[in-house]
Amino acid sequence: MFKQVKSKLTFLYTISLLCVLILFIGLLYFFISHEINQKQLDEIDGYFNKEKMDFIEDLYEKKHHDVEYDPNRSIFYYVCNQENTIIYGKETVRNLFGHIELTEENSFIKKIDWGKNHFLIVKKPLTANGATHGFVILGTEITGEKHLIQNITWTLIGMTMLFSLLFAFLGYYFAGQAMKPIKRAFLKQEKFVSDASHELRTPLSIFYSSIDLLQREEKLSAYGQEVLKDAKVEAELMNKLIHNLLFLARSDQKELPLKMKRVNFSELLKNLCKRFSRREGLSIDFIVDIQKGISLRCDEIKMQELVYILLDNAFRYTGEGMIAVRLNTEGGKIILMIEDTGCGISETHLPHIFDRFYQADGSREKGGTGLGLSIAKTIVILHGGQIIVDSKEGEGSKFTVIFNEEK
């Protein structure tokens, strides 16, 4: 149990810190790439504002496709007429203009790739005196900046993986430290319950025997006999509670041996249903639908206790209506379902019904101790099965127990 809790705490701690780290790295990457990109755009805008009038003059003075190659420039440009035909330009990579798609858009900002090189290009209209004379496409090579961003990205990914391992290690360590006082307190409580249950059994047995002897005493008045009868009932309840506590304590300490053998589960369930069907004073339609010949490798006594707990709860909380018991096999599974139309369980109580000593409203008046369903779930888990509950307040409950069918 503690290992599972420790693993969950480690997972939650690691995921939480990792999400914070990923968010931080994502924001850092965004700001770095944005600043680099904005710096390049500012440089292009500054160059455009400085050379704008010269670009307009080039429209009318230069010849068609008069493009010069100048590898020493940082910013290249192409001047286009109103038909988006290149008139003049200066480029840093030979014949780059042939790779640029000339669209009818008046302006755009694009990133293009050509071979191993990467470029940022901007198209702007050339306007003067309220008239548009043409367009200019300006750009700059961003290969170095892109490689820088890629290196930063891989570095951040590497840091994320490294810190993930670090967070996992720290999470496991701190979860272990946090669990130590809880584990000590739990083990003390577990030992106390086990020891107390053992110590109470002997005096309770003597007390129970003494009541039997006193009840045989003929000199006692009717009132005395009634008092002894009540005391015997309470002693029986106390004995049952101690038995349940010992069962759970031994289960927690992995000291609960199971006498496993092949059992005719269909017959076991059928016999228990017969016992419950003989209960008097009930206005219940008891439906039994049991598939014949279903066998299960289990501890027969524990399995009887499991079915008894579920059936007893169904009858206890169903004054009138229907209780159905069904047993069948499906897809390699043995499925036991016990359904009733009783008072049901509210959504508030439903997540806690398997907790020890947890009781929904009014359950104490029914004579419960709050351990029955906890014991039922423990028995199911010990047999490698699972128990599922579906219930609505005022409509009834359905408990489904599933075991693996062994051939």
Side-chain angles (χ1 to χ4, degrees), residues 143-198:
T143 304
E145 288 79 358
K146 188 160 186 177
H147 289 167
L148 174 62
I149 293 175
Q150 288 177 346
N151 291 336
I152 292 174
T153 302
W154 284 112
T155 301
L156 293 177
I157 291 174
M159 289 176 59
T160 302
M161 297 178 64
L162 177 63
F163 276 98
S164 298
L165 296 174
L166 180 61
F167 289 160
F169 174 77
L170 290 176
Y172 188 80
Y173 173 76
F174 286 123
Q177 295 300 310
M179 291 297 296
K180 282 183 179 179
I182 300 174
K183 186 175 181 179
R184 284 197 296 267
F186 179 83
L187 292 176
K188 286 181 180 179
Q189 177 188 347
E190 192 178 70
K191 190 174 187 303
F192 169 77
V193 170
S194 179
D195 293 345
S197 300
H198 276 292

Side-chain angles (χ1 to χ4, degrees), residues 62-336:
K62 303 295 184 179
K63 296 180 180 179
H64 182 61
H65 282 321
D66 190 4
V67 178
E68 298 179 6
Y69 170 64
D70 185 359
N72 297 318
R73 299 177 59 85
S74 60
I75 295 177
F76 58 86
Y77 67 88
Y78 304 100
V79 180
C80 307
N81 60 21
Q82 293 183 6
E83 288 75 30
N84 285 295
T85 301
I86 294 178
I87 302 300
Y88 177 71
K90 291 185 178 181
E91 61 186 8
T92 56
V93 176
R94 196 180 299 278
N95 297 324
L96 177 62
F97 73 91
H99 188 71
I100 297 176
E101 183 180 354
L102 298 175
T103 65
E104 296 182 357
E105 297 175 86
N106 289 339
S107 62
F108 61 67
I109 299 175
K110 293 181 179 180
K111 291 181 180 179
I112 63 172
D113 302 327
W114 191 28
K116 296 182 179 179
N117 299 323
H118 310 280
F119 304 92
L120 173 66
I121 60 173
V122 178
K123 183 179 182 181
K124 291 179 176 292
L126 295 172
T127 58
N129 299 323
T132 301
H133 299 274
F135 306 94
V136 63
I137 297 175
L138 305 100
T140 184
E141 186 172 354
I142 58 171
T143 304
E145 288 79 358
K146 188 160 186 177
H147 289 167
L148 174 62
I149 293 175
Q150 288 177 346
N151 291 336
I152 292 174
T153 302
W154 284 112
T155 301
L156 293 177
I157 291 174
M159 289 176 59
T160 302
M161 297 178 64
L162 177 63
F163 276 98
S164 298
L165 296 174
L166 180 61
F167 289 160
F169 174 77
L170 290 176
Y172 188 80
Y173 173 76
F174 286 123
Q177 295 300 310
M179 291 297 296
K180 282 183 179 179
I182 300 174
K183 186 175 181 179
R184 284 197 296 267
F186 179 83
L187 292 176
K188 286 181 180 179
Q189 177 188 347
E190 192 178 70
K191 190 174 187 303
F192 169 77
V193 170
S194 179
D195 293 345
S197 300
H198 276 292
E199 294 300 325
L200 284 172
R201 294 190 75 177
T202 301
L204 185 61
S205 298
I206 296 173
F207 176 68
Y208 192 81
S209 301
S210 300
I211 291 175
D212 278 338
L213 290 173
L214 287 173
Q215 281 186 318
R216 297 171 189 170
E217 185 63 46
E218 296 179 356
K219 295 181 181 180
L220 284 176
S221 64
Y223 178 74
Q225 288 287 349
E226 186 176 347
V227 170
L228 285 176
K229 183 179 179 181
D230 291 340
K232 187 174 182 180
V233 170
E234 295 300 324
E236 288 174 349
L237 290 174
M238 180 64 75
N239 185 54
K240 182 180 179 182
L241 176 61
I242 290 172
H243 170 78
N244 291 340
L245 286 173
L246 273 173
F247 175 86
L248 292 172
R250 289 170 179 169
S251 173
D252 290 337
Q253 296 173 358
K254 311 297 182 185
E255 297 177 355
L256 191 64
L258 296 177
K259 298 178 180 179
M260 304 293 284
K261 64 179 182 179
R262 180 65 60 178
V263 174
N264 189 327
F265 196 29
S266 298
E267 286 299 318
L268 182 149
L269 187 58
K270 185 178 178 180
N271 292 334
L272 283 171
C273 287
K274 283 183 180 179
R275 288 167 53 186
F276 276 90
S277 65
R278 289 194 289 265
R279 290 193 173 188
E280 298 179 356
L282 296 175
S283 301
I284 293 175
D285 183 15
F286 191 27
I287 300 172
V288 178
D289 181 13
I290 299 174
Q291 180 179 325
K292 294 182 179 180
I294 296 178
S295 63
L296 175 67
R297 181 173 172 77
C298 63
D299 185 312
E300 186 174 4
I301 302 300
K302 297 294 186 294
M303 198 55 58
Q304 285 181 350
E305 188 172 1
L306 164 66
V307 176
Y308 183 89
I309 290 170
L310 296 179
L311 279 174
D312 186 57
N313 274 358
F315 276 90
R316 184 180 299 174
Y317 297 107
T318 306
E320 59 182 20
M322 181 272 296
I323 294 177
V325 178
R326 295 183 174 88
L327 178 68
N328 56 54
T329 58
E330 182 179 339
K333 305 287 185 181
I334 297 174
I335 302 173
L336 166 65

